[in-house]
Amino acid sequence: SQQGEEDPQALSIQEGENATMNCSYKTSINNLQWYRQNSGRGLVHLILIRSNEREKHSGRLRVTLDTSKKSSSLLITASRAADTASYFCATDGFGRGDMRFGAGTRLTVKP
Amino acid sequence: KAGVTQTPRYLIKTRGQQVTLSCSPISGHRSVSWYQQTPGQGLQFLFEYFSETQRNKGNFPGRFSGRQFSNSRSEMNVSTLELGDSALYLCASSQSRQGHEQFFGPGTRLTVL
């Protein structure tokens, strides 16, 4: 079963704008990862944030984690048309060997 | 390093047949996990292998099975295929079981007619 939910389900913005996607989860986690997927292809790993971290940056990406609210957000700054994809969060819990994915946010960046 | 590779990329089968999918992890990675992705159910965990042993299994029927070889390569098998098995099957590898990034292959698109 899926762990949580991404919000919004779909997001459409203009090139150059920032995009923020949110992820909520239900159980305690070891870490949380964000992935990007283009049109039914494989998932590309974006960033991993551990449960003892609150914020992490990678290039134009900024991820925050609030374990008290069981939520995370992914911010993409200065978006480009090439950022058009589905974005998923996945949680890795203690004592589990699997990752649980949300339903994803479909991001469309218009040139 | 080469990424995770999966073969075949596309597969068409008919109901009742069986299928074997293959996954080669990133060199040095010992954990391999399999996921099924469908429009209706999203990404769902199938199983995880580490050191040739299945460590965890998702909520799928026994028709779904897998194995891992000593070189960490993994195969998954689906017997008695059903229409609902049509999906993108994704393999992911990581250095160890927890706490590390999982890197995904391009997937195998299975269509059951």
Side-chain angles (χ1 to χ4, degrees):
Chain A
S1 60
Q2 292 181 333
Q3 162 72 307
E5 298 178 357
E6 279 93 343
D7 167 47
Q9 290 187 335
L11 180 62
S12 182
I13 59 175
Q14 294 294 135
E15 218 168 19
E17 294 180 338
N18 295 341
T20 299
M21 289 159 269
N22 303 296
C23 166
S24 61
Y25 56 92
K26 298 173 183 173
T27 60
S28 296
I29 64 169
N30 186 33
N31 63 58
L32 185 145
Q33 303 184 53
W34 283 91
Y35 290 86
R36 182 185 77 231
Q37 185 178 39
N38 293 84
S39 289
R41 300 172 71 176
L43 278 72
V44 174
H45 186 271
L46 296 176
I47 201 163
L48 178 152
I49 186 165
R50 302 191 187 282
S51 59
N52 62 353
E53 297 175 312
R54 291 297 167 258
E55 189 171 312
K56 208 161 181 181
H57 297 254
S58 176
R60 295 184 295 114
L61 306 179
R62 172 178 169 254
V63 168
T64 62
L65 179 64
D66 187 335
T67 53
S68 67
K69 295 181 179 178
K70 291 186 168 61
S71 68
S72 173
S73 68
L74 169 67
L75 168 67
I76 304 174
T77 60
S79 63
R80 306 165 182 168
D83 295 328
T84 294
S86 291
Y87 291 82
F88 295 89
C89 69
T91 56
D92 179 357
F94 295 98
R96 297 199 325 248
D98 63 317
M99 285 200 302
R100 298 183 184 180
F101 285 82
T105 292
R106 175 69 189 169
L107 173 66
T108 302
V109 181
K110 300 175 185 176
Chain B
K1 279 185 179 178
V4 179
T5 58
Q6 291 187 246
T7 57
R9 293 292 309 279
Y10 302 91
L11 207 48
I12 299 175
K13 293 285 188 178
T14 56
R15 280 180 297 174
Q17 287 187 311
Q18 75 166 23
V19 67
T20 299
L21 312 181
S22 180
C23 171
S24 292
I26 292 171
S27 178
H29 285 195
R30 298 170 62 194
S31 174
V32 173
S33 297
W34 289 89
Y35 295 83
Q36 181 198 63
Q37 186 178 29
T38 60
Q41 298 298 317
L43 278 151
Q44 295 193 89
F45 170 76
L46 279 159
F47 21 65
E48 178 217 0
Y49 286 88
F50 182 78
S51 294
E52 301 178 64
T53 302
Q54 186 180 94
R55 304 290 178 158
N56 204 351
K57 191 177 193 302
N59 189 26
F60 279 81
R63 300 184 297 106
F64 291 81
S65 63
R67 58 178 175 168
Q68 186 181 34
F69 301 95
S70 58
N71 60 358
S72 294
R73 191 177 69 84
S74 177
E75 289 181 347
M76 67 163 280
N77 184 277
V78 188
S79 63
T80 320
L81 285 166
E82 301 177 359
L83 295 178
D85 297 332
S86 294
L88 181 66
Y89 290 88
L90 294 161
C91 163
S93 78
S94 67
Q95 288 183 321
S96 186
R97 293 197 63 206
Q98 285 187 316
H100 294 91
E101 294 91 339
Q102 285 200 11
F103 295 95
F104 283 78
T108 294
R109 173 74 64 184
L110 172 65
T111 302
V112 182
L113 303 175

